[in-house]
Amino acid sequence: ATEKYNGAKEKQEKLQKEISTIQDNVARGQQDLNKLRDGLGSMATAQYRSGGLDPSVQLFLSSDPDDYLDKASTLDQLSAQQVEGLKKIQDKQRELAQERAEATEKLKDLASTRTELGKKKQEVQGKLAEAQKLLNSLTAKEKQELADQQARADRSSAQRVELGGNAKGSGFAGAAFSAAQSQIGKPYVYGSTGPSSFDCSGLTSWAYAQAGVSIPRTSESQANIGTRIYSTSDLQVGDLVFFFNDIHHVGLYAGGGQILHAPRTGTVVRYESMSTIGGPFMFGVRV
């Protein structure tokens, strides 16, 4: 649910940037169009002062230059400079109309994406509420067993830091892994990309960004980059590793059958054995 939320959020941010760019282009284009029209106005003024306004220039200043240009029979009444000026206006008007239409479509898409984002957020919050309700229903003994299990996982992570924390990868993967190591102990928060908290794909995208490599935001998108590795024996430190059939969880390979990841709500960034993730290993990706 978190990764679906992340995907909707990423799409919203992308659309907002695209719309902003188009709107800036439209604003600049309108300024250019105004300048072209001002130039035509100056030409008409000069003609008027010199003894009258040429009928062709009156058409030239028409609010519908497309219609005027289509009247080929009048083109021979214009100078080459006038024809060029009018065509520039015509091209600019068409360009602006196209950009405005594109912005309108993207604004519609943005509205539906925002609605989708709200639904995904409710889904995440609903699942968290269900989990909390289940947790609250546990007996004291069950809660203690759960706490002991969490403590063992934390100790395992700490031992991994002490005994194998010097694992090094090469190149960008090594740099990304080192960056992720610096975040051990930071809490898992859904939708978070650091540096104070992370979700699973937030950690991996942040870590690679520290290495100077931009990778997609969500686990599903991250699974479609680089070179896939299906055998765990071929994995190298810093490779992305994906779990579950729908690829909704990702971490960084830490060597020795361990990964460094942000597991889930209620946990922190830590090392963990790939065998205890709770879902099958699908493949790795070397960026």
Side-chain angles (χ1 to χ4, degrees):
T2 294
E3 288 303 285
K4 290 177 183 177
Y5 167 83
N6 289 339
K9 187 176 181 182
E10 182 182 40
K11 183 178 180 181
Q12 174 185 260
E13 292 170 352
K14 180 181 178 182
L15 282 170
Q16 287 175 326
K17 289 179 181 178
E18 290 175 349
I19 290 169
S20 178
T21 298
I22 293 173
Q23 290 175 334
D24 288 345
N25 290 340
V26 168
R28 286 193 295 270
Q30 188 62 53
Q31 290 178 343
D32 293 341
L33 181 58
N34 292 340
K35 289 178 183 178
L36 289 170
R37 284 176 170 164
D38 288 345
L40 296 185
S42 298
M43 185 186 301
T45 299
Q47 286 194 9
Y48 180 77
R49 287 175 177 170
S50 64
L53 192 62
D54 189 301
S56 65
V57 176
Q58 292 182 30
L59 286 172
F60 193 47
L61 295 173
S62 167
S63 61
D64 187 6
D66 277 0
D67 178 62
Y68 178 47
L69 270 185
D70 290 339
K71 298 175 182 177
S73 59
T74 65
L75 290 178
D76 58 356
Q77 301 175 31
L78 299 177
S79 69
Q81 180 182 2
Q82 289 172 329
V83 171
E84 182 182 358
L86 190 56
K87 284 185 175 179
K88 284 182 178 178
I89 285 184
Q90 183 186 46
D91 291 342
K92 183 57 69 173
Q93 284 183 323
R94 286 174 176 166
E95 179 185 329
L96 287 175
Q98 183 177 351
E99 288 181 333
R100 287 190 176 109
E102 185 180 354
T104 298
E105 288 303 309
K106 287 187 181 293
L107 283 167
K108 291 179 182 177
D109 196 3
L110 178 61
S112 63
T113 299
R114 282 176 172 160
T115 299
E116 181 186 7
L117 182 62
K119 291 179 180 178
K120 298 303 182 188
K121 185 174 183 179
Q122 287 180 345
E123 183 181 356
V124 172
Q125 292 174 331
K127 287 182 179 294
L128 286 173
E130 289 173 11
Q132 188 61 52
K133 183 179 179 180
L134 177 60
L135 185 63
N136 293 340
S137 71
L138 297 180
T139 64
K141 181 181 178 181
E142 288 171 332
K143 287 181 180 179
Q144 186 57 52
E145 289 175 350
L146 189 62
D148 291 343
Q149 182 182 13
Q150 182 65 50
R152 286 194 298 272
D154 291 341
R155 283 196 299 272
S156 175
S157 178
Q159 290 170 357
R160 177 73 177 93
V161 175
E162 294 172 4
L163 302 177
N166 59 348
K168 301 292 182 183
S170 60
F172 293 127
F177 183 75
S178 294
Q181 282 182 306
S182 70
Q183 302 305 299
I184 289 173
K186 296 288 182 70
Y188 177 103
V189 175
Y190 83 89
S192 183
T193 57
S196 58
S197 59
F198 299 89
D199 62 22
C200 70
S201 58
L203 175 65
T204 51
S205 59
W206 178 88
Y208 267 91
Q210 308 317 300
V213 180
S214 176
I215 65 174
R217 168 67 178 92
T218 66
S219 58
E220 183 178 3
S221 296
Q222 290 175 14
N224 292 318
I225 62 173
T227 303
R228 288 194 176 184
I229 302 161
Y230 292 95
S231 173
T232 55
S233 61
D234 294 331
L235 290 172
Q236 295 178 8
V237 172
D239 286 341
L240 297 171
V241 281
F242 298 88
F243 299 84
F244 300 94
N245 292 330
D246 59 357
I247 318 297
H248 76 249
H249 188 66
V250 61
L252 295 167
Y253 188 62
Q258 300 268 334
I259 68 166
L260 178 55
H261 67 150
R264 60 187 178 279
T265 299
T267 64
V268 297
V269 176
R270 70 187 189 198
Y271 291 104
E272 190 168 345
S273 170
M274 292 173 65
S275 63
T276 61
I277 298 302
F281 165 72
M282 303 307 295
F283 53 80
V285 164
R286 186 159 300 148
V287 179

